[in-house]
Amino acid sequence: MVVPIILCTFANDKNNNRFTSSVMDIKEFAIKCFKDEAQAILNLIPLLDDNFQKAVEMIYNCKGKLIVTGVGKSGHVGEKIASTLASLGTPSFFLNPLDAYHGDLGMIDGNDVVMAISYSGLTDELLRFIPLLIERKVPIIGVTGNPDSLLAQYSICHLNIAVDHEADPLNLAPTSSTTTTMVMGDALACALVHMRNFKPNDFALFHPGGSLGKRLLTTAEDVMFKENLPVIPADMRLGEAIIEVSRGKLGMGVSLDEEGRIIGLITDGDLRRATERWQEQFFNHKVSDIMTTTPKIVLPTTKITAIQAVMQKYKVHSVLVADKQKHLLGIVDHYGCML
């Protein structure tokens, strides 16, 4: 038995609120959301006042920790803000106000600073938490969209994240307001990076497991080739040198003096160009006739990021690793830097 299938589309119908939408119609919702939230961020600029600088100074001068707190969506954004600040050198963590009522308040003391987030500034669970902080003389940074709210009044400084409207079509779900909250947290983080003179290497110390951390912390000694290095005498004939360079599988040959110090380098490119230049006379020449006497050399403690910068600047695919007396220790090629 074949069951017929009837495909229906609904025209605009005010009674049942069903309608058809093209792909372009759906994209318009995304575009409007992007524009609304972008505008909400720009609208924060005239709301910035001396409270922002005061908040930065409070966090910078804090002898303890920054505790970020909030409920619901504000709490989720607060977790992200605390995580960002911690990764950029500010000791911070997130604390749910509900957990504070059940023992976690012991994590906070007078050396700490609390950043309390509530768009309305009237969140009951958060306001019941505030007197406990005041009793302990813990300074509070309030982040709300209502400068006249109780939270704003209880705070030493207030950061205004007000929005004209939410991005969702119903103007109900926290969308633009959570975006402005997150951006305000990012602004604090950026200002504190400047205040602390925080550097990429400092960032790597907090992210040792990430690819950035690996590149910033890994040194030449960690990735260099150090066994069966392609060492060739400077007086070796080029015909023999081709064999040795090929055998080394690094596309190069290094010449050393009697004490093991680097005196020159040839690459497979050098050999190819010498073949084109001298043709049948090629085999009569020596390594010393074409070797580079100023190869790029780094110390074993040189970071991978610095080696990558050298390779990019001089358009080379490998660098030699040596001690301060230029004794060859190893070779780092382009692939060794790809962590």
Side-chain angles (χ1 to χ4, degrees), residues 172-248:
L172 294 175
T175 45
S176 295
S177 59
T178 50
T179 298
T180 56
T181 306
M182 189 173 297
V183 169
M184 185 62 75
D186 288 343
L188 290 170
C190 291
L192 286 162
V193 165
H194 173 73
M195 292 279 287
R196 298 185 191 284
N197 194 28
F198 202 77
K199 300 296 184 184
N201 282 343
D202 300 316
F203 185 83
L205 293 175
F206 292 97
H207 299 76
S211 60
L212 175 60
K214 288 182 180 178
R215 290 201 306 274
L216 289 171
L217 296 176
T218 303
T219 64
E221 190 173 22
D222 297 325
V223 298
M224 68 184 185
F225 292 98
K226 48 191 175 183
E227 302 292 337
N228 301 317
L229 297 178
V231 175
I232 54 177
D235 60 356
M236 177 180 280
R237 298 288 179 179
L238 293 182
E240 297 175 77
I242 290 178
I243 298 173
E244 293 302 318
V245 168
S246 177
R247 184 177 297 162

Side-chain angles (χ1 to χ4, degrees), residues 47-290:
L47 299 181
L48 276 179
D49 56 20
D50 293 342
N51 280 291
F52 181 80
Q53 181 173 344
K54 188 173 182 179
V56 172
E57 291 175 349
M58 285 175 62
I59 299 170
Y60 178 73
N61 294 318
C62 175
K63 292 182 172 58
K65 309 168 294 296
L66 174 69
I67 293 92
V68 185
T69 186
V71 179
K73 303 295 188 298
S74 295
H76 296 316
V77 176
E79 288 187 74
K80 187 271 178 188
I81 292 174
S83 178
T84 297
L85 288 166
S87 71
L88 292 171
T90 296
S92 58
F93 63 87
F94 176 79
L95 175 63
N96 190 312
L98 300 178
D99 293 331
Y101 306 141
H102 300 282
D104 286 0
L105 187 62
M107 298 179 180
I108 306 174
D109 61 36
N111 290 320
D112 300 328
V113 172
V114 167
M115 180 189 297
I117 304 171
S118 167
Y119 185 74
S120 68
L122 301 171
T123 305
D124 181 63
E125 299 93 334
L126 193 60
L127 290 179
R128 286 191 284 119
F129 179 40
I130 298 302
L132 304 177
L133 299 175
I134 294 175
E135 183 180 353
R136 290 170 175 257
K137 297 182 180 179
V138 177
I140 301 169
I141 300 171
V143 183
T144 84
N146 183 0
D148 298 320
S149 64
L150 287 174
L151 177 56
Q153 293 173 30
Y154 282 127
S155 301
I156 289 181
C157 65
H158 174 255
L159 301 178
N160 194 343
I161 52 161
V163 298
D164 293 333
H165 61 276
E166 299 290 359
D168 89 284
L170 301 177
N171 192 29
L172 294 175
T175 45
S176 295
S177 59
T178 50
T179 298
T180 56
T181 306
M182 189 173 297
V183 169
M184 185 62 75
D186 288 343
L188 290 170
C190 291
L192 286 162
V193 165
H194 173 73
M195 292 279 287
R196 298 185 191 284
N197 194 28
F198 202 77
K199 300 296 184 184
N201 282 343
D202 300 316
F203 185 83
L205 293 175
F206 292 97
H207 299 76
S211 60
L212 175 60
K214 288 182 180 178
R215 290 201 306 274
L216 289 171
L217 296 176
T218 303
T219 64
E221 190 173 22
D222 297 325
V223 298
M224 68 184 185
F225 292 98
K226 48 191 175 183
E227 302 292 337
N228 301 317
L229 297 178
V231 175
I232 54 177
D235 60 356
M236 177 180 280
R237 298 288 179 179
L238 293 182
E240 297 175 77
I242 290 178
I243 298 173
E244 293 302 318
V245 168
S246 177
R247 184 177 297 162
K249 298 181 180 180
L250 291 176
M252 65 166 60
V254 186
S255 293
L256 309 177
D257 64 13
E258 294 179 355
E259 297 182 6
R261 292 188 294 254
I262 300 167
I263 58 173
L265 167 75
I266 64 169
T267 66
D268 49 8
D270 294 328
L271 291 166
R272 186 168 56 253
R273 286 185 290 272
T275 303
E276 295 173 353
R277 176 184 176 185
W278 289 317
Q279 297 183 16
E280 65 273 9
Q281 297 299 319
F282 171 81
F283 294 96
N284 295 328
H285 288 273
K286 300 178 181 179
V287 169
S288 58
D289 295 333
I290 65 170

